[in-house]
Amino acid sequence: FFDGPDVKVSAWEVVLQAGGDGFLKLNGNPLGRFHQVGPQRGFYLPECWIKPKGNVLEYVARPDSRGGTITAAELRPLAR
C-alpha cells in the first residue's frame, strides 16, 4: 500500500526489485509483466490510476529461488 504523491508531476513510475517472474497491477489495473532477469525495472503509472490514499501495487508471481515478492520499490517522477 502507498499514498499518492503530494507533488504535481505529469508522469510517475515505480521501479522494482523482486524475485520471480510475474504480472504487476495498480489498483486492479494491469501495468505489465515483470521478469526477474530482464532490462525493465521501471513501470509507468498513469496519473488517473493513482488515488490520493490507499493505492495497492500487486505482484502476482511464479516464485523462484529468491521467492516471489517485491523486495524494494521506489515511486519517482518519470524521466523523459
Side-chain angles (χ1 to χ4, degrees):
F1 292 98
F2 68 95
D3 291 336
D6 291 333
V7 180
K8 269 300 208 193
V9 173
S10 60
W12 291 92
E13 73 175 333
V14 63
V15 180
L16 297 178
Q17 291 190 13
D21 295 333
F23 296 94
L24 286 169
K25 291 181 180 181
L26 175 63
N27 298 325
N29 299 296
L31 290 176
R33 291 183 61 123
F34 178 87
H35 294 280
Q36 177 180 303
V37 179
Q40 185 172 5
R41 294 282 175 245
F43 292 85
Y44 169 71
L45 302 177
E47 187 177 3
C48 61
W49 290 356
I50 300 174
K51 301 185 293 186
K53 301 243 183 246
N55 293 284
V56 177
L57 182 66
E58 294 177 81
Y59 179 47
V60 180
R62 183 186 73 220
D64 65 359
S65 61
R66 294 194 305 177
T69 61
I70 296 172
T71 55
E74 177 187 3
L75 180 64
R76 66 183 186 195
L78 184 65
R80 292 181 182 226

